[in-house]
Amino acid sequence: MSAAGGITTARQDIAAGDIPVDTPRLPAREAAESELSKPMYHENDPNVVQRALNQFWDWVAGVFDAAAGAAPGGPAGLAVLVVIVVGLAAALWWRLGTPQRSSRSAEALFDSTGPRSAAQHRATAEAHAAALRWTEAVQERMRAIVRSLEERALLDPRPGRTADEAAAEAGRTLPEHTTRLRAAARSFDDVTYGGRAADQSAYLSLRTLDLALDEAKPLLPGTSRGATG
């Protein structure tokens, strides 16, 4: 076939309507999206909650992958770091969380070194006073006061009792000394927990109270205040 014959044939094809179909891109995409949006294609798709969970776990996996890449030793090193962090958290909880369940023990009048007699506390207080250690002298004198009341059965021995509690309980059997007992408890709390420094006057006040309580007669149950001698 000659070139002229080919051109003639092509012209005949075009005239007959046999034009190649070339669909534009935009209408084709819109048609595809319209077709894929039909419910029949999405019957097995995850719901909103499932998609959110999938995204969350993908994020978690990405975080761990990034951490594994940065941690020495890769995933094995990351596992070791996780174990160390968990161990430290457990240790902190045991050291800091457990004592908080009995926070009042931190304010207990007596320490945990073992019971000592009122005479021993008085001797220690006098030794501190002689060395001009007034804060320690006040603390020991308050302990001597409470221990003396326990020894006289005016207070029931009770571990963990605070100075304020001891003063309130003692005031019920020694009402004439209630005000001074409360003042002594405040002095103890101020120097022990408030960070204040005691002086000679504060110590002498507790010493005088200690001597007065040693001779005080308790208010017996059923007895009015005016009947105390």
Side-chain angles (χ1 to χ4, degrees):
M1 180 184 295
S2 64
I7 294 173
T8 300
T9 302
R11 288 177 178 176
Q12 290 175 351
D13 292 338
I14 293 174
D18 296 333
I19 302 174
V21 177
D22 186 10
T23 306
R25 292 183 179 181
L26 183 58
R29 185 176 65 183
E30 291 177 349
E33 290 177 352
S34 176
E35 178 67 20
L36 293 176
S37 65
K38 295 180 179 179
M40 60 180 295
Y41 296 105
H42 303 279
E43 293 178 353
N44 298 320
D45 286 357
N47 56 33
V48 176
V49 176
Q50 291 174 332
R51 289 198 299 271
L53 288 175
N54 291 337
Q55 292 177 355
F56 171 75
W57 289 119
D58 290 342
W59 175 80
V60 172
V63 171
F64 275 95
D65 289 342
L78 177 62
V80 173
L81 290 176
V82 170
V83 172
I84 293 175
V85 170
V86 172
L88 290 175
L92 287 174
W93 178 86
W94 184 82
R95 292 287 295 176
L96 301 179
T98 302
Q100 291 178 355
R101 292 197 295 266
S102 58
S103 59
R104 291 178 67 254
S105 63
E107 299 179 358
L109 182 64
F110 298 99
D111 54 30
S112 59
T113 57
R116 302 173 63 196
S117 66
Q120 290 175 316
H121 285 295
R122 289 188 182 111
T124 303
E126 289 295 311
H128 286 309
L132 304 181
R133 295 190 293 267
W134 302 117
T135 295
E136 293 83 352
V138 164
Q139 292 171 329
E140 285 300 312
R141 202 74 197 197
M142 185 63 192
R143 293 176 179 129
I145 290 173
V146 176
R147 185 67 77 202
S148 176
L149 295 175
E150 291 177 349
E151 291 174 353
R152 294 172 60 193
L154 299 181
L155 284 179
D156 293 329
R158 179 162 57 85
R161 178 189 277 121
T162 66
D164 290 330
E165 291 172 341
E169 294 172 20
R172 289 193 285 269
T173 55
L174 298 167
E176 295 182 356
H177 300 280
T178 299
T179 301
R180 297 172 67 187
L181 282 165
R182 290 176 178 173
R186 283 196 300 270
S187 295
F188 178 88
D189 290 341
D190 287 344
V191 302
T192 305
Y193 312 114
R196 299 183 182 180
D199 54 16
Q200 182 180 14
S201 176
Y203 174 71
L204 292 179
S205 178
L206 266 72
R207 185 176 183 273
T208 301
L209 175 62
D210 187 17
L211 296 176
L213 292 175
D214 201 37
E215 299 177 356
K217 295 181 180 180
L219 180 67
L220 302 177
T223 304
S224 62
R225 294 191 180 189
T228 58

